[in-house]
Amino acid sequence: MKTITLKVSGMSCGHCVKAVEGSVGELPGVDSVKVALENGEVQVQYDADKVSLDKIKETIDDQGYDVE
């Protein structure tokens, strides 16, 4: 398992947290997702053999947020 912390801009409320945690959490190979709204960070624990970091970033981007 790998753990990565991504800087994500554009998140401002509970809905944002649910959108990111829900969409990323549904990806195969993702074990856990935690959004730290006050820091603008998303921590993802995932199996790199099952899901790529690019796919995780793309999924966050698809929700309307910018991964830095």
Side-chain angles (χ1 to χ4, degrees), residues 38-53:
E38 60 281 354
N39 301 336
E41 294 179 344
V42 178
Q43 186 179 63
V44 184
Q45 186 175 16
Y46 67 102
D47 183 342
D49 292 332
K50 294 182 181 175
V51 65
S52 68
L53 179 55

Side-chain angles (χ1 to χ4, degrees), residues 6-31:
L6 303 168
K7 287 296 258 178
V8 179
S9 60
M11 300 184 301
S12 61
C13 64
H15 172 75
C16 302
V17 172
K18 285 182 184 176
V20 172
E21 288 182 347
S23 61
V24 175
E26 289 178 2
L27 292 172
V30 172
D31 187 52

